[in-house]
Each structure stands twice: as structure tokens, then as C-alpha cells.
């Protein structure tokens, strides 16, 4: 904190103003350095603005190196109500005739053959265990998690680590067996026990993660047989004697404790304790204690429960895809349907409350199983008895059949691609029955190609304008950056106008920008050499030339008729003029040359002015700024010392003058004279 100083007490001088004026002269070299620093910072920012412009234009050259920019196609259908089409840039200028569409591809569907509820409707959000009796007989074949769960993992990619789906509530108790495509694996207690090359596996009972000792090849099937149990902890918020378990359909309580005290139970899981006798409602999972438990009591229960499973399969290009589903009794029909819909089977199922039936539809059209159904229910009772689904009820699932250019063929989808042309069949027709055939023609989209080239030329001319404007900016040498003292004396508007002139011309006649302009002109006008019989090897051949005014700095102008004619005659030739690739610059297309020239200039400017991610030590102007800042810091320290010295000198003078005044007053008082006359 600066000290408080008082001057002129003895001398009457305005010491502070005197020292301030003296320091103003001393600070002139520092102000010069600060002005130089500001100029360099402005120059750095101007370079970075130029780099943003160059980078933006360089990005636009990418579009000019894509074949689709020049050779995009348009299609025309003689009857778009029957057939439509789109064409890729690689498609030829050809014509296709569809004389017949015998049938459209459809998705396989299946619906319940009868209502699925015994009475009323099914509430899809209710727990299935609580409404199991409302389904038709045989809907559920409940299994006990304590007797065994069989899970199968389909190996889609080779590896050593896989995870059980663990769709049921709880964690693994015991692992009964593991086999991979029929080969038995030994289950070890820890991953450290795995021996490379042996048939061993470690399974984390909490997460279900499986680690194998050897790599399991693709398309293998991993089968795991295990038991599981649920471990619930229930804390009573208030005194009471009822506890609800998280699952329903309880088959057996393995262990139970209250506040850490283990309650004795018999083999069937019934209480034999005199302290905590209880009864269990296995259907609802509710435990009722004979005596009231206090608030805050913690009841811990480990138990097995019922679950049900079913399996489905569908057919795809790659063959049959099957999946097994396991659900707790607390699952709802909505959860079951949502799980199936999100599986890899590619089906969508929903329950219609009005008809009390379930409908299942393949998400893909077509016939992928010539020998049978598209959807197989694998004899699962929940599907066949509970939801009344049968393979015999399947409808649809047929391929599109049509005649294209005289060839009778099929596709699994109504959308298919031939020679880069994607057709969409929308309705049936037959030319032999009097319907007119549908003709699809493909030709070059010269309008789109023309617009792309025109926009690129406009962007180039805009870049030329900005570069030339920057290089020709007037340099006002009488307008240096304002010092702090000068800035305080001006209004905001005056500061803005001053700095506008001070910043002008910082890149006037810049060598890097000038070289880039010259190089880009050469990139445009140097003929493109190389193999090929295209007549277009320079811009003028497609109607693009420089403007007549030399002051434009090489701007381009387009003869629209000539450019359109060139695109119609040889769109590939125009593409090669811009995008040809070769080992030398003369063999490269214009857009590739520009990319390289712009990249070189961007690198040069970055080395000089850096970017927002670099520190000052990584570019030239930054190093200059660091040097100036260091000099300013040193000079400021010396100025502080000098100012302190001035104050000490004036303070000494004031002290001496005060002493003389005191002596004068003493002498005058001795002579009987007053100094206050």
C-alpha cells in the first residue's frame, strides 16, 4: 500500500505536482514501450483475424474436392405414385423400366388368436404375479431362483470378458455349471487363479461379469446355470409389525435378522424363534411379526423367489436370431413388451385393450426364412398359452417382386439400390394387364453443380476483397496508441475514433498475405496436367476468367452459359479440374492447390501470431511481448525507486527549511521582534 506523503509544509511548494512533472519526463521511455506493446497486440489480433478468414475458405475447398459437388444426379419417374428414385453421384446417366410390381414387401405380423384375459382386461402396469390368475391357464410356468437359472450369452465378437444379463432382482448364490458351445468350464474363486489356455472362468457374483482364461471365439454360445437370491434390508420409519419385501412370489427365506439378531427358521423358512415369531405371505412378500418392532428397527432378509421365462427367435439376413427373457413376478406386461421391443429380435409388440389381444410385428420387411415363419415362439408357454400367439397366425413377411429392365427379381425391402440408383416401390402395377410401365431416368444435376461452383467463386472474390482491403489500409503514423494519461483526457467516443486510426494499416503490404495472393492466382491459372482426355485443363475452358479491372486483384468472373455447357458435356472433367490428385502441384486440381497454399500461409501466420491455445513463448510476436513486458517491469521498478528518491530529497529540503525557520523565529523572539508582523 503506497505511503501517504505531505509536501510543501515548510517551503509552501506544491511538491506533489513538481515530482509528478519530473516523473512524467522519466516515464516517457515506459510509455513508448507500452505503446509498442499495444501495437504488437493489435498486430497479433489482426493476423489471427486473417487466419480465421483463411481457415474458413480452406474448409470450403473440401466441398470442391468432392465428386458429388459436380456430378450430383437428378432422377425422373414417369409415375411417382408407383415408383420413386434417387441417385448417387456415382450413378450413370441411364434409364430403367419397371414393367411390373407383382407385390410389395411387407412385415411379418402375428396377433393373439383369442382374448388373453379370463375376464375383463389386462392392466399392463400391474405386477404379473398379482394378476397371474387373470391370464388363461398355463400362461406361467414359475421357476424358483433357488433351484437354478439358465442363461445363454450369444458371442457377437471374440473376447475374454462377458457379462450375464442378470435380468432378475438379486445376486448370484452359486454357479452350478458353465459351458461354451458344449465345452465345460471350471469355475474358479478369483481372477488370479485363471490359467492361460485352460478352460476356466471367474464370475463376479455381484456384477455378473465373466472372465475367461482363453479367448471365446465369435458366434459361440455361453451357457451358465446358477442360483440367485435377493438380500433386502428394511428400516422401519415408525413402530409396527409389518415388513414388505422388494419381490413377490417368495419361495423360501434363507435367513432373517432383526437389528443384527439372527432369527431361527426351519428348513422351509418358517420362524422357530420365540423372540421374533413371524408369518410370511409368499404371494405378496409381506412379513408379519407377532410382536411390534420399535421405530428404527432394521430387518435383513435373504430369500429366493419365483420367476418365469420365455424364448423367441426371428430371422434376418445373417440367419436366425434367438433371445431368452427372464422376469420377476413383479414385472408388468408393459415392462415385458418394452424389453422385447428393445431387444435384437427386431419386433414390436403391443397390447390392444379393446380387443384384449397382443399384436407383434417385425420391424423389417421381407421373407428371411423360406422354410417357415419370420417369428418363432420356441414353444414358450407365456407366448403361446398366456398371449395366445401361434406361428400359424403369422401374416405378411413377403418380399417385393418386380420386373426391372426385363429381369424378374425380388427384394426384402421396398427400398433397394441398383447401380447407384435407390428405388422406392409404392404400389403394384402390371404392364401386361394394361398398366403403363414406369420409367426412371437419371441425368446430371447441372444446376446444383453450377450453384456450387458459383458460390465458391463468390467466396474467393470476397476473400480477395478482405485481403486486399487489409493490405491497402492507410497507415496513420501520427496516431500512436494512447497512453494512460492521454486516455483519461479523452471521451469514449474520442478514444474509439483515435484507436480506429491507430489500428489502421498494421498489415499494410504484409509479405505473407501478398505472397498468398500471388500463389492463389497461380493456383487458379496454371493448367492442370495429367492423364485423361478431358478438354478442361484450365479455368478459362469452363468459362471462368479474371475481371478486366486489374485493380480487382485477380477476382474471377463467370460466363454462365459456358460453365453450364461444360458441366453438361463433361461433369467429370470439371470435377478433375478442381479435385484431381497427383504427386506434383501441376498435376493437382485447383481446389487441392488452394488447400496446400492456404495451409502453408496459415502455418506461417500462426508461427508469427500464434493462436488462442498457444503461450507467448510459442510464436514470434508473443516472444516480443514477453520481452517488452520484462523491460517494462524492470523500468517500473527503477521509476519507483527514483520517485522515492525525489520524495526523500524534497523531504530533506523541507526539514532543513523548517529548521532554519525555527532558528529565525528564535532569534527574532530574542530581539523582541515578532515574525508574525
Amino acid at each position: 500500500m503506497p505511503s501517504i506523503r505531505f509536501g510543501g509544509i515548510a517551503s509552501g511548494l506544491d511538491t506533489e505536482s513538481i515530482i509528478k512533472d519530473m516523473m512524467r519526463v522519466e516515464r516517457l521511455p515506459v510509455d513508448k514501450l507500452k505503446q509498442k506493446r499495444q501495437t504488437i497486440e493489435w498486430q497479433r489480433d489482426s493476423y489471427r483475424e486473417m487466419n480465421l478468414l483463411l481457415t474458413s475458405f480452406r474448409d470450403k475447398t473440401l466441398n470442391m474436392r468432392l465428386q458429388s459437388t459436380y456430378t450430383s444426379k437428378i432422377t425422373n419417374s414417369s409415375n411417382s405414385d408407383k415408383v420413386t428414385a434417387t441417385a448417387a453421384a456415382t450413378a450413370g446417366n441411364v434409364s430403367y423400366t419397371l414393367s411390373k410390381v407383382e407385390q410389395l414387401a411387407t412385415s411379418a405380423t402375428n396377433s393373439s388368436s383369442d382374448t388373453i384375459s379370463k375376464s375383463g382386461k389386462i392392466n399392463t402396469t400391474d405386477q404379473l404375479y398379482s394378476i397371474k390368475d387373470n391370464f388363461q391357464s398355463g400362461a406361467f410356468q414359475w421357476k424358483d431362483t433357488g433351484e437354478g437359472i439358465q442363461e445363454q450369452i450369444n458371442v457377437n465378437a471374440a473376447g475374454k470378458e462377458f457379462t450375464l444379463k442378470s435380468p432378475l432382482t438379486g445376486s448370484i448364490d452359486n454357479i452350478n455349471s458353465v459351458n461354451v458351445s458344449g465345452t465345460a468350464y471350471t469355475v474358479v474363486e478369483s481372477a488370479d487363479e485363471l490359467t492361460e489356455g485352460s478352460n476356466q472362468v471367474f464370475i463376479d457374483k455381484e456384477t455378473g461379469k465373466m472372465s475367461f482364461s482363453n479367448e471365446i471365439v465369435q458366434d459361440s454360445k455361453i451357457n451358465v446355470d446358477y442360483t440367485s437370491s435377493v438380500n433386502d434390508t428394511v428400516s422401519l420409519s415408525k413402530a409396527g409389525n409389518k415388513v414388505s419385501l422388494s419381490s413377490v412370489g417368495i419361495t423360501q427365506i434363507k435367513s432373517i435378522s432383526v437389528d443384527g439378531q439372527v432369527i431361527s427358521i426351519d428348513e422351509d423358512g418358517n420362524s422357530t424363534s420365540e423372540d421374533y415369531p413371524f408369518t410370511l405371505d409368499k404371494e405378496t412378500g409381506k412379513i408379519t411379526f407377532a410382536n411390534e418392532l420399535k421405530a428404527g428397527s432394521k430387518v435383513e432378509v435373504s430369500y429366493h423367489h419365483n420367476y418365469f421365462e420365455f424364448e423367441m427367435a426371428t430371422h434376418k439376413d445373417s440367419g436366425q436370431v434367438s433371445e431368452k427373457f427372464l422376469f420377476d413376478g413383479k414385472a408388468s406386461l408393459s415392462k415385458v413388451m418394452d424389453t422385447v421391443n428393445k431387444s435384437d429380435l427386431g419386433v414390436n409388440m403391443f397390447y390392444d385393450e379393446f380387443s384384449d389381444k397382443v399384436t407383434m410385428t417385425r420391424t423389417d420387411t421381407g421373407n428371411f426364412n423360406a422354410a417357415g415363419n419370420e417369428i418363432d415362439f420356441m414353444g414358450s408357454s407365456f407366448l403361446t398359452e398366456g398371449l395366445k400367439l401361434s406361428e400359424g397366425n403369422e401374416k405378411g413377411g413377403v418380399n417385393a417382386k418386380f420386373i426391372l429392365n426385363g429381369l424378374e427379381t425380388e427384394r426384402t425391402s421396398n427400398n433397394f439400390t441398383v447401380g447407384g440408383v435407390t428405388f422406392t416401390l409404392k404400389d403394384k402395377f402390371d404392364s401386361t394387364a394394361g398398366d403403363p410401365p414406369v420409367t426412371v431416368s437419371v441425368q446430371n444435376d447441372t444446376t446444383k453443380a453450377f450453384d456450387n461452383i458459383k458460390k465458391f467463386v463468390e467466396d474467393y472474390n470476397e476473400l480477395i476483397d478482405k485481403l486486399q482491403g487489409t493490405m491497402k489500409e492507410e497507415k496513420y503514423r501520427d496516431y500512436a496508441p494512447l497512453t494512460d494519461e492521454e486516455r483519461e483526457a479523452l471521451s469514449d467516443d474520442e478514444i474509439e475514433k483515435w484507436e480506429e486510426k491507430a489500428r489502421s494499416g498494421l498489415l499494410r503490404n504484409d509479405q505473407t498475405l501478398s505472397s498468398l495472393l500471388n500463389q492463389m492466382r497461380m493456383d487458379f491459372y496454371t493448367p492442370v496436367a495429367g492423364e485423361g482426355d478431358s478438354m478442361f485443363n484450365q479455368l478459362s475452358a469452363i468459362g471462368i476468367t479474371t475481371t478486366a479491372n486489374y485493380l480487382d486483384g485477380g477476382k474471377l468472373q463467370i460466363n454462365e452459359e459456358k460453365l453450364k455447357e461444360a458441366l453438361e458435356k463433361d461433369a467429370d472433367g470439371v470435377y478433375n479440374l478442381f479435385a484431381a490428385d497427383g504427386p506434383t502441384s501441376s498435376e493437382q486440381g485447383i481446389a487441392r492447390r488452394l488447400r496446400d497454399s492456404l495451409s502453408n500461409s496459415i502455418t506461417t501466420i500462426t508461427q508469427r501470431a500464434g493462436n488462442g491455445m498457444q503461450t507467448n513463448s510459442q510464436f514470434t510476436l508473443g516472444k516480443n511481448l514477453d520481452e517488452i513486458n520484462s523491460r517494462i517491469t524492470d523500468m517500473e521498478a527503477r521509476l519507483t525507486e527514483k520517485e522515492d528518491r525525489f520524495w526523500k530529497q524534497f523531504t530533506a529540503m523541507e526539514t532543513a527549511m523548517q529548521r532554519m525557520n525555527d532558528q529565525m523565529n528564535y532569534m527574532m523572539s530574542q530581539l523582541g521582534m515578532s515574525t508574525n508582523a
Side-chain angles (χ1 to χ4, degrees):
M1 182 176 178
S3 58
I4 299 175
R5 293 161 167 167
F6 298 98
I9 295 177
S11 65
L13 297 174
D14 187 352
T15 306
E16 185 172 1
S17 296
I18 294 173
I19 293 177
K20 186 175 181 179
D21 290 339
M22 294 171 67
M23 289 304 300
R24 184 180 292 112
V25 177
E26 298 289 341
R27 292 194 63 84
L28 288 177
V30 176
D31 290 339
K32 291 288 185 184
L33 281 177
K34 288 184 176 181
Q35 289 175 315
K36 184 177 181 180
R37 179 178 65 185
Q38 182 64 78
T39 299
I40 293 175
E41 288 175 346
W42 284 342
Q43 189 178 46
R44 175 201 62 194
D45 295 343
S46 296
Y47 272 126
R48 290 182 179 180
E49 289 175 9
M50 289 297 102
N51 248 3
L52 289 175
L53 289 174
L54 299 181
T55 300
S56 175
F57 185 72
R58 182 183 62 179
D59 293 341
K60 293 173 184 176
T61 65
L62 171 62
N63 188 49
M64 301 305 290
R65 305 197 303 273
L66 301 177
Q67 189 173 19
S68 59
T69 299
Y70 310 88
T71 57
S72 57
K73 305 289 183 176
I74 54 174
T75 59
N76 181 59
S77 172
S78 61
N79 189 341
S80 57
D81 291 332
K82 304 291 185 182
V83 182
T84 59
T86 58
T90 54
N93 293 342
V94 295
S95 179
Y96 295 91
T97 299
L98 287 99
S99 55
K100 181 181 181 180
V101 174
E102 180 180 339
Q103 70 180 22
L104 296 175
T106 60
S107 300
T109 62
N110 204 318
S111 299
S112 304
S113 58
D114 198 357
T115 58
I116 69 173
S117 65
K118 289 181 178 179
S119 62
K121 308 295 181 181
I122 298 295
N123 187 334
T124 59
T125 60
D126 284 347
Q127 292 183 351
L128 288 175
Y129 202 82
S130 67
I131 61 173
K132 62 183 184 298
D133 294 333
N134 196 29
F135 283 86
Q136 301 295 342
S137 299
F140 299 97
Q141 293 182 356
W142 297 104
K143 296 186 176 183
D144 188 345
T145 59
E147 294 180 356
I149 300 168
Q150 289 79 41
E151 188 170 339
Q152 184 178 87
I153 304 296
N154 297 318
V155 179
N156 298 319
K160 287 187 174 184
E161 294 188 346
F162 303 90
T163 302
L164 292 168
K165 297 176 184 177
S166 302
L168 303 178
T169 304
S171 58
I172 297 173
D173 277 337
N174 298 299
I175 300 163
N176 300 325
S177 66
V178 177
N179 74 76
V180 179
S181 299
T183 300
Y185 274 67
T186 302
V187 181
V188 298
E189 295 300 318
S190 71
D192 295 335
E193 296 180 40
L194 294 173
T195 303
E196 182 72 26
S198 61
N199 294 336
Q200 294 177 319
V201 61
F202 166 68
I203 301 180
D204 187 318
K205 293 182 178 181
E206 292 298 323
T207 64
K209 181 179 178 181
M210 299 182 289
S211 300
F212 287 85
S213 57
N214 58 307
E215 184 174 79
I216 307 302
V217 300
Q218 185 176 345
D219 296 329
S220 297
K221 294 185 182 298
I222 303 172
N223 292 281
V224 184
D225 186 328
Y226 62 94
T227 61
S228 75
S229 60
V230 179
N231 300 299
D232 280 349
T233 299
V234 182
S235 296
L236 277 66
S237 59
K238 59 182 180 180
N241 67 336
K242 296 184 182 299
V243 172
S244 293
L245 300 177
S246 62
S247 295
V248 295
I250 311 303
T251 58
Q252 181 188 30
I253 290 182
K254 294 173 56 184
S255 64
I256 181 171
S257 66
V258 177
D259 294 330
Q261 181 178 340
V262 177
I263 301 175
S264 58
I265 54 178
D266 59 23
E267 291 182 357
D268 295 326
N270 298 313
S271 175
T272 60
S273 170
E274 296 182 1
D275 295 330
Y276 292 100
F278 67 84
T279 57
L280 168 67
D281 185 336
K282 292 186 176 182
E283 294 288 301
T284 63
K286 291 183 178 179
I287 297 175
T288 303
F289 287 90
N291 303 316
E292 185 177 79
L293 303 180
K294 62 182 180 181
S297 293
K298 184 169 69 173
V299 180
E300 297 177 277
V301 188
S302 177
Y303 57 93
H304 298 304
H305 63 88
N306 281 318
Y307 74 96
F308 72 97
E309 62 184 21
F310 62 88
E311 189 172 4
M312 283 179 58
T314 57
H315 295 266
K316 300 183 179 182
D317 280 331
S318 57
Q320 187 185 67
V321 178
S322 63
E323 189 157 348
K324 191 175 184 180
F325 301 92
L326 291 80
F327 294 97
D328 297 305
K330 65 180 180 180
S332 65
L333 183 58
S334 288
K335 180 179 180 181
V336 170
M337 294 188 295
D338 185 58
T339 302
V340 172
N341 292 344
K342 290 179 179 178
S343 72
D344 294 332
L345 294 175
V347 298
N348 182 67
M349 64 185 300
F350 69 91
Y351 169 72
D352 179 53
E353 184 178 353
F354 180 80
S355 63
D356 190 30
K357 294 181 179 180
V358 168
T359 295
M360 188 176 295
T361 306
R362 282 295 312 278
T363 55
D364 294 328
T365 60
N367 180 9
F368 296 95
N369 182 23
N373 295 81
E374 297 301 305
I375 309 173
D376 297 330
F377 301 121
M378 313 295 282
S380 299
S381 62
F382 176 73
L383 300 174
T384 58
E385 300 298 329
L387 303 185
K388 295 298 179 181
L389 295 170
S390 169
E391 281 92 347
N393 294 336
E394 183 172 292
K395 299 177 182 179
V398 299
N399 291 339
K401 294 183 178 181
F402 54 93
I403 299 176
L404 176 65
N405 284 2
L407 176 66
E408 187 173 347
T409 185
E410 297 183 18
R411 293 292 189 279
T412 57
S413 172
N414 294 315
N415 298 293
F416 59 92
T417 301
V418 176
V421 181
T422 300
F423 295 86
T424 299
L425 306 181
K426 303 176 75 174
D427 199 359
K428 297 186 293 184
F429 62 91
D430 187 354
S431 60
T432 62
D435 297 328
V438 177
T439 300
V440 174
S441 59
V442 182
Q443 61 188 31
N444 291 334
D445 186 0
T446 56
T447 300
K448 182 179 178 181
F450 173 82
D451 290 342
N452 287 332
I453 295 174
K454 183 178 179 182
K455 181 65 168 61
F456 183 70
V457 169
E458 290 173 350
D459 290 339
Y460 173 73
N461 288 341
E462 183 180 347
L463 177 65
I464 295 297
D465 264 340
K466 291 178 179 178
L467 291 178
Q468 287 204 131
T470 298
M471 292 174 59
K472 292 181 179 179
E473 272 187 349
E474 186 70 28
K475 178 68 175 176
Y476 299 96
R477 300 190 180 279
D478 293 336
Y479 286 81
L482 295 169
T483 64
D484 293 340
E485 189 173 355
E486 290 170 338
R487 187 181 292 272
E488 291 176 1
L490 299 176
S491 65
D492 291 342
D493 186 56
E494 289 172 328
I495 291 173
E496 182 179 353
K497 291 179 178 178
W498 182 281
E499 290 191 343
E500 182 179 348
K501 290 185 178 295
R503 298 185 68 154
S504 178
L506 291 176
L507 300 184
R508 182 177 176 84
N509 297 326
D510 183 79
Q511 186 61 43
T512 301
L513 300 181
S514 177
S515 296
L516 175 60
L517 284 173
N518 292 332
Q519 185 59 50
M520 287 196 297
R521 295 187 192 106
M522 290 181 61
D523 292 338
F524 270 109
Y525 304 130
T526 301
V528 177
E531 298 180 359
D533 55 1
S534 175
M535 65 185 76
F536 308 133
N537 65 348
Q538 57 186 19
L539 277 181
S540 58
I542 63 171
I544 301 177
T545 57
T546 56
T547 60
N549 186 355
Y550 76 95
L551 294 176
D552 285 344
K555 287 186 180 180
L556 302 176
Q557 60 184 4
I558 299 176
N559 182 326
E560 296 190 2
E561 294 299 324
K562 193 171 182 179
L563 177 56
K564 290 179 180 178
E565 181 182 356
L567 289 168
E568 290 171 356
K569 285 183 177 180
D570 187 6
D572 286 327
V574 177
Y575 162 66
N576 286 325
L577 176 62
F578 281 91
D581 199 6
T584 64
S585 177
S586 63
E587 296 173 284
Q588 293 177 344
I590 293 169
R592 294 188 182 277
R593 295 172 183 171
L594 287 171
R595 175 201 61 187
D596 293 342
S597 298
L598 289 162
S599 294
N600 291 336
S601 296
I602 289 169
T603 299
T604 300
I605 292 174
T606 302
Q607 289 172 347
R608 180 165 179 76
N611 55 47
M613 299 178 66
Q614 292 179 312
T615 61
N616 281 351
S617 61
Q618 294 176 288
F619 58 96
T620 303
L621 292 181
K623 293 176 183 177
N624 294 342
L625 288 172
D626 283 345
E627 181 185 358
I628 290 175
N629 285 331
S630 178
R631 292 174 60 188
I632 289 174
T633 299
D634 292 342
M635 294 181 72
E636 290 282 10
R638 289 196 295 270
L639 287 174
T640 299
E641 292 176 358
K642 182 166 290 189
E643 185 176 9
D644 289 341
R645 188 163 60 251
F646 284 153
W647 274 104
K648 288 179 180 179
Q649 290 172 345
F650 273 93
T651 300
M653 181 191 72
E654 292 287 342
T655 301
M657 292 185 67
Q658 183 63 42
R659 189 181 299 113
M660 292 177 61
N661 287 337
D662 291 343
Q663 291 176 352
M664 176 72 71
N665 291 335
Y666 175 75
M667 292 175 61
M668 295 294 287
S669 64
Q670 292 297 318
L671 295 173
M673 302 176 63
S674 174
T675 59
N676 295 322

